[in-house]
Amino acid sequence: MLERLIAWVLNNYLGKYVENLNTDQLSVALLQGAVELENLPLKKNALRQVGIPVEIKSGYIGKVKLQVPVSQFRSAPWVICIEQLYVVAGPVSMAQWDEELEEKAAQEYKIMLLDALEARWRTETESACYYSSSYSSWLSYGTSFMTNIVENLQLNITDVHIRYEDELTVPGSMFAMGIAIDSLEAQSCDDQWVPGLSKSDLGHSFKLVQMNNLSIYWDSLDQGGNLWNNLSNAELAARIKQESKGHNYILSPVSAHAHLKKNLSEQPIRSKSQPRIFCDLHLDNVPLHVTDLQYSQIVGCLKGLKRLQKSQQYQKFRPACPVRGNARLWWQYAFHCCQYARNGDMVVAKNWQQCLKRGRDNVQYVELYCKILNGQPGYVNLSVDEKQVKEDMESDRGYEELKTLR
């Protein structure tokens, strides 16, 4: 049972971001009290759910280690260690456009937004339910056994370097932005902020978070300069260590620690004077420095990403032929873009029959969704046909229209 639980957690939370995750050997490793996964390559589309036109060019996780106190489940903490998180990202290449893949990613992103919207509503209106736990990671954990594990979970992350390289969004410029963290540690403690097991009988849980040497840099690169997006894992690690000090920092290395205090009440807390989570942040001096060139490139990059995101929306209408000799197709492309900009994903009814059908579909979808909301949280009480109708509606309609119907 334990290996199935850990395999489910790894596949659902880590499997979204890494390639070829194999959890078949967990049972052998758990007998020794530790699970180690090494050199996990990151998926190219791991950032699609963020909703920005950025993809991972290269990157990997050097080691993921889970320490499980097999003989001391209740008296010792579980520890998750992540070492060498190296990521090189860049803007999405329109030359490698895959309509089917992009539509699938857009659909997943839309469903994620709808689920988050529903979870937020349930959290605000219901005292304790399945969706409350999916929206807020610290609200409810079921049994005292699982509560004890989660409340005393320790997280250690070391050697993080996330780099964004861009030669597309600002014409005539190449630049790289990076975020580096030496270490990030979160562990349970008592009410005096001494590391150890958190005691839930006090009505609160306590976490101590420490971060060492967070830095942000923005480097201007020469045209034709060496980019990191095609390096192997070994070359990427060597380059990061080689150029660790030669950056133009916007935020020079800074450290901080925070004291987190969480109210364990199962009832919703709606008082503004009594927060669910209280954070006391202790931060070193924050040295910020931005040059005119950096500021200009930052603004240009943001505008370029916005243009690229809009181009993604219209890419499915774009003809795969030159303008010369194909004026009709390109005028149709312009018309479809204007129509999409006005109506979005909403399909405009062309006659009364279509209008009537859309109205009936809307009514049916609202009735099905009311049935879900009135049912047991976490359990979809729909028939096979009703589930198919719901899935078809959520596939055909845009987010704003579904949000209004819900």
Side-chain angles (χ1 to χ4, degrees), residues 314 335-349 358 397-401:
Y314 302 146
F335 171 77
H336 289 314
C337 290
C338 293
Q339 187 181 41
Y340 185 86
R342 179 179 179 181
N343 302 317
D345 292 328
M346 183 182 297
V347 179
V348 179
R358 286 180 63 84
R397 306 297 179 88
Y399 169 73
E400 293 297 333
E401 189 175 1

Side-chain angles (χ1 to χ4, degrees), residues 167-208:
E167 54 182 339
L168 178 64
T169 58
V170 181
S173 297
M174 287 179 56
F175 51 85
M177 186 273 289
I179 300 175
I181 302 175
D182 282 356
S183 65
L184 178 64
E185 181 179 356
Q187 57 183 327
S188 300
C189 55
D190 59 19
D191 56 349
Q192 300 299 318
W193 308 110
V194 177
L197 292 181
S198 179
K199 298 181 180 180
S200 59
D201 55 352
L202 299 176
H204 294 82
S205 66
F206 303 88
K207 292 281 187 181
L208 180 61

Side-chain angles (χ1 to χ4, degrees), residues 52-113:
I52 57 177
V54 174
E55 64 182 1
I56 293 180
K57 304 296 184 179
S58 64
Y60 71 100
I61 302 176
K63 180 185 292 186
V64 177
K65 183 177 181 180
L66 175 61
Q67 297 178 352
V68 181
V70 178
S71 60
Q72 297 175 308
F73 275 138
R74 293 183 177 272
S75 59
W78 291 36
V79 181
I80 299 177
C81 300
I82 300 177
E83 300 177 9
Q84 285 189 320
L85 173 57
Y86 296 157
V87 181
V88 179
V92 174
S93 175
M94 303 303 291
Q96 300 176 356
W97 176 265
D98 188 328
E99 183 175 353
E100 182 178 353
L101 185 62
E102 294 297 331
E103 288 182 355
K104 181 180 178 181
Q107 178 67 15
E108 292 176 352
Y109 182 64
K110 178 171 62 177
I111 297 300
M112 182 189 69
L113 293 178

Side-chain angles (χ1 to χ4, degrees), residues 11-76:
N11 284 320
N12 280 273
Y13 293 97
L14 194 60
K16 297 179 182 179
Y17 307 105
V18 301
E19 299 277 5
N20 305 322
L21 180 62
N22 184 8
T23 58
D24 295 337
Q25 304 299 324
L26 286 180
S27 58
V28 177
L30 284 174
L31 294 177
Q32 302 174 357
V35 177
E36 287 192 15
L37 303 173
E38 296 184 348
N39 298 323
L40 302 174
L42 297 175
K43 292 182 178 180
K44 300 293 184 182
N45 59 352
L47 298 178
R48 289 185 183 274
Q49 293 185 349
V50 180
I52 57 177
V54 174
E55 64 182 1
I56 293 180
K57 304 296 184 179
S58 64
Y60 71 100
I61 302 176
K63 180 185 292 186
V64 177
K65 183 177 181 180
L66 175 61
Q67 297 178 352
V68 181
V70 178
S71 60
Q72 297 175 308
F73 275 138
R74 293 183 177 272
S75 59

Side-chain angles (χ1 to χ4, degrees), residues 108-400:
E108 292 176 352
Y109 182 64
K110 178 171 62 177
I111 297 300
M112 182 189 69
L113 293 178
L114 292 173
D115 289 344
L117 189 67
E118 179 181 337
R120 188 180 301 113
W121 176 83
R122 287 186 180 272
T123 302
E124 294 173 352
T125 57
E126 300 179 9
S127 58
C129 65
Y130 169 81
Y131 288 95
S132 298
S133 62
S134 66
Y135 176 67
S136 177
S137 59
W138 277 7
L139 287 184
S140 176
Y141 296 105
T143 65
S144 60
F145 172 71
M146 289 302 299
T147 301
N148 186 70
I149 292 176
V150 176
E151 289 292 347
N152 294 289
L153 190 66
Q154 292 188 12
L155 177 65
N156 298 322
I157 303 177
T158 58
D159 197 6
V160 177
H161 195 113
I162 301 173
R163 179 181 172 96
Y164 171 81
E165 297 179 338
D166 194 331
E167 54 182 339
L168 178 64
T169 58
V170 181
S173 297
M174 287 179 56
F175 51 85
M177 186 273 289
I179 300 175
I181 302 175
D182 282 356
S183 65
L184 178 64
E185 181 179 356
Q187 57 183 327
S188 300
C189 55
D190 59 19
D191 56 349
Q192 300 299 318
W193 308 110
V194 177
L197 292 181
S198 179
K199 298 181 180 180
S200 59
D201 55 352
L202 299 176
H204 294 82
S205 66
F206 303 88
K207 292 281 187 181
L208 180 61
V209 181
Q210 294 179 315
M211 179 183 63
N212 294 321
N213 293 333
L214 165 68
S215 61
I216 302 175
Y217 65 84
W218 190 285
D219 295 338
S220 296
L221 306 177
D222 297 331
Q223 290 292 334
N226 294 326
L227 299 178
W228 298 9
N229 52 23
N230 292 321
L231 299 179
S232 65
N233 292 347
E235 292 172 338
L236 179 60
R239 182 65 64 84
I240 288 176
K241 289 180 172 56
Q242 179 183 354
E243 301 187 11
S244 59
K245 302 298 183 181
H247 299 296
N248 298 316
Y249 288 103
I250 293 178
L251 173 65
S252 297
V254 61
S255 298
H257 68 275
H259 295 161
L260 298 178
K261 178 181 177 181
K262 175 222 165 182
N263 191 323
L264 296 178
S265 173
E266 295 182 357
Q267 300 299 320
I269 299 177
R270 298 187 175 93
S271 173
K272 294 183 179 180
S273 61
Q274 187 181 8
R276 169 71 68 177
I277 298 176
F278 176 82
C279 177
D280 182 16
L281 178 63
H282 299 263
L283 189 65
D284 292 345
N285 292 330
V286 182
L288 294 174
H289 179 76
V290 181
T291 65
D292 291 340
L293 178 59
Q294 288 174 331
Y295 178 79
S296 175
Q297 290 179 342
I298 291 172
V299 173
C301 177
L302 294 177
K303 291 182 178 179
L305 288 176
K306 188 175 182 179
R307 289 194 303 269
L308 187 59
Q309 189 172 26
K310 183 173 292 187
S311 298
Q312 279 187 305
Q313 298 174 354
Y314 302 146
Q315 187 68 20
K316 57 185 176 182
F317 306 125
R318 187 181 180 90
C321 57
V323 177
R324 182 181 294 273
N326 300 281
R328 180 182 180 86
L329 293 177
W330 282 90
W331 276 113
Q332 290 176 347
Y333 167 66
F335 171 77
H336 289 314
C337 290
C338 293
Q339 187 181 41
Y340 185 86
R342 179 179 179 181
N343 302 317
D345 292 328
M346 183 182 297
V347 179
V348 179
K350 299 180 180 179
N351 51 54
W352 281 110
Q353 286 75 18
Q354 291 183 3
C355 185
L356 181 61
K357 182 180 183 305
R358 286 180 63 84
R360 288 173 175 170
D361 290 342
N362 290 345
V363 172
Q364 186 178 15
Y365 181 78
V366 171
E367 291 176 348
L368 293 178
Y369 194 66
C370 288
K371 188 176 181 180
I372 294 175
L373 294 180
N374 293 328
Q376 181 180 356
Y379 173 72
V380 181
N381 51 343
L382 301 179
S383 65
V384 176
D385 293 338
E386 289 174 334
K387 289 181 181 179
Q388 187 62 46
V389 171
K390 178 177 177 293
E391 291 176 359
D392 292 342
M393 281 286 293
E394 292 176 348
S395 176
D396 296 337
R397 306 297 179 88
Y399 169 73
E400 293 297 333

